[in-house]
Structures are given as C-alpha cells and as structure tokens.
Amino acid sequence: MERRYSISVSSSGRKLVSVSQYPVYQNEITFLFGESGIGKSVLSKALYGLLDPDGLDIIINNKTYGHHCNDEWTKSIRANSFFVFQEPSSHLNPLLTIREQLNEGSLEGADDSEILRYLWQTSGDESVRKLIDLYPKPYRPSGGEKQRILLAMAFKRINALINNAPVNEPSYFVFDEPTGSLDNRYRNLFLSLLFAKFAARPFTIQIITHDYSIISEIYRSHQRLVNRVHFKELTRVKGGTVAVNDFTPEDYLKWLETPYNQNKGMFKKNVVLSLDPHFSIFGKKHTVYDDKQHTQVAPLVIKRGDIAYVKAPSGVGKTTLAKIIMGIYKADSFSMNLSGIKLNEKSSQNIWARKIWGTRAGMVFQHADESLNLQATVKETFDGLPGKKLNNVLLKNKLSELFDGTVTDDFLRKKVAYLSGGQKQRLNILRTLVPAPHLIILDEPLNGLDFKSVRKVLDLLEEKCATGSALLMISHNEEIFEHFVTEECIYYLS
C-alpha cells in the first residue's frame, strides 16, 4: 500500500521545505537520493513526529502537526519502528554508557549480542564488550563504530517487530545516511542483514543516502528484491518547494560504463608530488603501498594530468595524510617534494603559507560548513584568492560550471549560510579550483551532491587534468573513483 503526504515546514514565516506528493510505500523499500540540505531529513522527521512544533509551523495533509502526531498511523510507527539519525553523535547520550543506551526504553531486555557480533564481524564478545562499556565521546568510539551502534539499536527494534507484531502492523524505519561513516565492506554487511530481515517479514524501510553506488550492490547481490525497491530523488522546484521524482537505476549503471579519458593534454608529464612511503604522526607509523595486499611499498607519486586515489578504511589516516601535505598537521617524520620544493618534518610552517597554499597546492575539505565562512557572501568567498581577481562576469562564468541556470547578482550577494548543503559543496570545490594550483587535493568531494552534480564535478575535474593539474582523491566512494582513476594511480594506506 502507498501513502501520499503533502508536507509544509516553515520557520518564522520562511518556507524551509514543502512537497505535495511525498510517498511512503508500506512494507517495501525506498531509497531517497538528492543533494544535501534539500529537505530529505526534515520531511522524514516530520512524518515520524520528530520535529518541534513550538519552533516550526508544520502542516501535513492540510492539518495541524498535532493532528498528524495523534493519528493512529503515526502512533503505531513510533511504537514499532526506529529512526537512525544522520549524525550518530547527536543521538548518543554522553552521560550513559553505550550498553545502557542499547537497553533503553523499548530496546530493554532484547538480546543484542548476535547483532553486535555481526556488525563488528567478530566471533567473540570481548572486543565489543570493551566498546559498549564506554561513555561516548567526540572521537571515541570512532564515527564508524557509532554508526554501527545506532544500526544495532534499529535491528533490535526490527527483531521485536518480526517476533511480536502482526504482519499488517504499520512501520516506518528511517535510515538517514546510515553508511556515511562506513566503508563498502561494512555498508554491504548492513544491507545484507537488513534485506535478510525484510525477507523474513516485510516492513517499511526508507534509506536516505548520497551513495549512488548502493544501486550496484543491490543489483549485484540482492536482485531478488529489486521489484520491492523504489528509487526516488528529491529535486528543487523553486525556493523551498521540492518534488519527489523517480530515479532510474540504469542511468547510474550505464554512466559507470562510460570511460573517462585522462592525459588528453599536450604537456610534459612532470612530477608534481613525490611523497616518501613512510611517515609518522601522533605517534603512529603509516605506509603507502601500490597494491591492495600491502606487499609493495611505494612512494606516492602524482604527475601533471594524473588523478591519484588513496584508499584505506575509515580512521586509518587518509585525511591526516592530506593535511600533512598541506602543512596543516605537523608530522613526526615525513619527506616530500611538492612542485620543486623539498619539505620534511623540520620545514618551517610558514613555507606553506608563502609558497604552497593556493599556488602549488589547494585542498577541498570534506565538510563545506567547516571550510567556508558562513557569514560571507558567495562573491566574498572568492575574494583574496591567489591570482587574478574575478569580476562579477568572470565569477558568474565560473559558478555556472557547477550551478544550473543563470547565476544572478542576487546569488552573488547571498550569504553562504543560506545555501543548501549541496550548493555549499559546489562552492567549496570551485573556490579551490579557481586559482588552478599545481596539486588539487579533494577529500570526499562528492559529499552531499545529487547525481547530476556528481557528473558535473567529475567532468570538471577531468578538464582540470587535461590542462595539467594533478589531483589527489580521498573518498569512501570506491566504485565511482575506481572507475574514474587508472589502476596504476590507486594507492593504499596502512
């Protein structure tokens, strides 16, 4: 059965998001794509009854939010289901141990040992037991571990639903970016367990994600469930008004088969970066390899026109490596040659400010909110960059490379804080590319982007390579970047 909802959420008279036909497919699986900040989470929280009616004006199906929250369907799904939040730290209570939180409220009493062993892929309980007796802190457990703790809570509720509730009992399990902190191995383990539970007793699942490579995993490993899966994408109509459209999986799968042509430019293949394979920081030793078995130690070498891709599980140190190259972190030991400048742990920090940043190297940081000045305007974001100052005409031309439609003067005057997550990420990328540094480091550059923007970003990066830029990629999105990068330019960090 399909339920349709008209939802409007406003704050102080300003429309945050509204949609006229938001679907919930009962006892089926929905994947909801769309750029960050477009309203996917807000709409799902509104339906689940999680928004604050005192701070927001919420109308659902032309009725008050109080009416919706007291509806029998809403009360049933709140009792039977679980909402996995995008940011695990906001869900976990730092004043309670993880074990206590795994047994709070409706989760109390149910055995979770089998779920935890599966999600941690361990045959014993000792390593997991040490973890769940911790009080959660910002950096402990790790982001991936916190993500799996929330998933374990959801699976406890799923087990309770399967064991105790009638088949026709309403449910609405929402997983908001449930694999954002997981590598592909743990993502696929999560999907396998979720779909196994669904096969045992169908229930309503909505997965909000930017990970389009999930499509390949479903078609590769869960073909039998494809006819129970809906792929949707939230797109902006105007302002805060959005629409839910069908997303065709074949569009993504066929795109993956399209070859990317590197090394098209007419230039000498000079080495831009050569980093010694051994470095240490924070008391830990790291090594770079050029094979996934970690048998062949190799320096990280990137030439003009090349795209290098560094792979490693979450938390191993990929972003740390990038920040060492950029001079943001001071390593205990390292050695590199960056566009003719030799650097090591003894090099003065101001060398990067004088000779590296914006000219020899630039970096697109993982989180746009942390790397952009949210109080600056779009135009001011580009002020002070090395090289020729951009007038409004040139700036509009640059922005149009990643932004649809006509870029207006009003948009140039808009504060960064009022942009959507996807718009901030595109701005984040363009700000680094505009000065055309010799080496461009991109840490999770596809974060928060819809499929259309993903393709535009990768096309733009291909153009940069064709003009001689050297690129260093860091991303969990292995499927896309393994397709985008030649095999000899893939490195492994341990």
Side-chain angles (χ1 to χ4, degrees):
M1 183 180 74
E2 177 185 350
R3 303 175 69 96
R4 292 270 177 174
Y5 291 91
S6 170
I7 308 170
S8 175
V9 182
S10 302
S11 175
S12 302
R14 185 173 70 91
K15 183 194 297 181
L16 299 180
V17 64
S18 69
V19 65
S20 60
Q21 293 287 317
Y22 192 83
V24 176
Y25 298 97
Q26 293 290 289
N27 294 335
E28 295 194 342
I29 303 165
T30 303
F31 284 88
L32 184 62
F33 301 105
E35 76 170 17
S36 177
I38 198 170
K40 304 183 297 297
S41 300
V42 172
L43 293 172
S44 299
K45 288 177 180 178
L47 280 187
Y48 204 91
L50 292 174
L51 295 184
D52 179 7
D54 293 330
L56 297 169
D57 183 20
I58 309 156
I59 303 296
I60 297 182
N61 287 347
N62 297 318
K63 295 180 180 178
T64 65
Y65 198 47
H67 185 279
H68 171 76
C69 291
N70 288 308
D71 179 81
E72 288 303 316
W73 179 82
T74 310
K75 290 193 290 187
S76 293
I77 63 111
R78 290 287 299 270
N80 296 321
S81 309
F82 198 86
F83 197 111
V84 174
F85 291 94
Q86 180 175 359
E87 177 45 61
S89 294
S90 65
H91 187 109
L92 296 174
N93 186 342
L95 301 180
L96 295 175
T97 66
I98 292 166
R99 183 191 299 275
E100 289 171 327
Q101 294 178 67
L102 279 165
N103 289 283
E104 272 192 304
S106 61
L107 303 179
E108 184 179 6
D111 181 45
D112 51 32
S113 56
E114 183 180 348
I115 295 169
L116 293 170
R117 283 197 297 266
Y118 177 85
L119 291 175
W120 266 262
Q121 287 295 286
T122 178
S123 57
D125 292 337
E126 184 175 350
S127 59
V128 179
R129 196 182 311 119
K130 289 180 180 177
L131 179 73
I132 64 176
D133 284 332
L134 293 174
Y135 290 90
K137 296 179 175 63
Y139 301 105
R140 191 183 184 211
S142 70
E145 288 171 330
K146 288 175 182 172
Q147 192 80 65
R148 281 176 277 167
I149 290 162
L150 282 196
L151 295 179
M153 293 178 180
F155 280 118
K156 289 186 73 171
R157 291 298 303 130
I158 290 169
N159 284 346
L161 182 75
I162 292 173
N163 295 331
N164 304 319
V167 175
N168 60 353
E169 188 76 8
S171 59
Y172 186 46
F173 284 84
V174 180
F175 297 85
D176 192 354
E177 294 291 354
T179 62
S181 300
L182 305 181
D183 59 26
N184 280 3
R185 178 190 178 217
Y186 283 107
R187 180 201 68 184
N188 295 344
L189 286 168
F190 157 66
L191 290 175
S192 293
L193 182 58
L194 183 66
F195 292 159
K197 299 292 184 183
F198 179 85
R201 193 278 202 192
F203 50 96
T204 307
I205 301 171
Q206 178 174 295
I207 298 178
I208 300 170
T209 184
H210 295 109
D211 183 5
Y212 290 90
S213 65
I214 278 181
I215 294 170
S216 298
E217 175 62 15
I218 292 170
Y219 275 79
R220 180 169 52 243
S221 304
H222 305 284
Q223 184 72 40
R224 71 189 187 283
L225 288 178
V226 167
N227 63 346
R228 304 293 299 275
V229 178
H230 303 269
F231 296 98
K232 300 290 181 179
E233 189 169 44
L234 212 61
T235 58
R236 195 177 303 281
V237 178
K238 186 178 181 181
T241 303
V242 298
V244 183
N245 299 311
D246 290 330
F247 183 84
T248 306
E250 288 74 20
D251 288 348
Y252 171 78
L253 297 172
K254 288 178 181 176
W255 173 74
L256 272 185
E257 298 172 1
T258 306
Y260 273 88
N261 299 315
Q262 292 185 40
N263 308 322
K264 294 187 298 185
M266 302 297 292
F267 46 78
K268 290 183 179 180
K269 297 284 289 183
N270 298 333
V271 173
V272 174
L273 174 70
S274 178
L275 176 81
D276 190 89
H278 302 290
F279 65 94
S280 65
I281 186 169
F282 307 136
K284 292 185 178 181
K285 296 179 180 179
H286 297 72
T287 303
V288 179
Y289 301 86
D290 64 6
D291 68 317
K292 63 176 63 178
Q293 291 77 27
H294 295 179
T295 62
Q296 301 177 47
V297 175
L300 174 58
V301 176
I302 313 175
K303 299 178 181 179
R304 292 186 68 196
D306 281 350
I307 305 175
Y309 176 33
V310 174
K311 295 181 61 175
S314 179
V316 167
K318 301 184 295 297
T319 299
T320 298
L321 169 60
K323 291 182 176 180
I324 290 172
I325 295 170
M326 290 300 300
I328 298 169
Y329 284 169
K330 187 172 179 60
D332 301 328
S333 66
F334 86 106
S335 178
M336 73 175 183
N337 187 309
L338 177 55
S339 198
I341 298 180
K342 293 182 179 180
L343 298 153
N344 58 38
E345 70 279 3
K346 297 178 182 177
S347 300
S348 171
Q349 292 296 105
N350 65 19
I351 291 178
W352 276 269
R354 290 191 293 109
K355 297 185 177 182
I356 305 293
W357 293 341
T359 54
R360 284 179 168 85
M363 182 169 174
V364 176
F365 292 90
Q366 181 173 358
H367 302 293
D369 273 354
E370 296 173 6
S371 55
L372 298 174
N373 180 353
L374 300 184
Q375 298 308 309
T377 66
V378 170
K379 185 178 188 305
E380 289 169 346
T381 298
F382 293 86
D383 291 344
L385 293 177
K388 182 180 178 182
K389 186 175 177 64
L390 296 175
N391 59 35
N392 282 10
V393 174
L394 290 173
L395 181 54
K396 288 176 184 178
N397 288 338
K398 286 294 181 184
L399 290 169
S400 66
E401 293 177 343
L402 292 183
F403 286 83
D404 290 332
T406 303
V407 178
T408 64
D409 288 333
D410 284 344
F411 184 73
L412 296 185
R413 291 191 291 266
K414 194 170 187 177
K415 272 193 175 183
V416 174
Y418 299 139
L419 301 181
S420 71
Q423 289 173 324
K424 290 174 187 172
Q425 182 67 351
R426 282 176 270 158
L427 196 65
N428 188 27
I429 292 169
L430 285 170
R431 185 190 60 168
T432 301
L433 298 186
V434 162
H438 304 171
L439 174 69
I440 302 168
I441 303 174
L442 301 109
D443 190 359
E444 299 292 355
L446 307 184
N447 260 4
L449 300 182
D450 59 13
F451 184 49
K452 185 177 181 180
S453 295
V454 166
R455 289 180 294 182
K456 281 190 170 187
V457 166
L458 293 179
D459 287 343
L460 182 57
L461 295 179
E462 187 183 17
E463 290 176 14
K464 288 294 178 183
C465 287
T467 60
S469 295
L471 272 59
L472 174 59
M473 298 283 193
I474 298 168
S475 178
H476 284 119
N477 208 320
E478 295 180 9
E479 179 173 80
I480 289 178
F481 285 108
E482 285 180 351
H483 163 71
F484 190 62
V485 179
T486 58
E487 187 174 351
E488 62 269 21
C489 289
I490 297 177
Y491 293 87
Y492 301 83
L493 183 63
S494 174

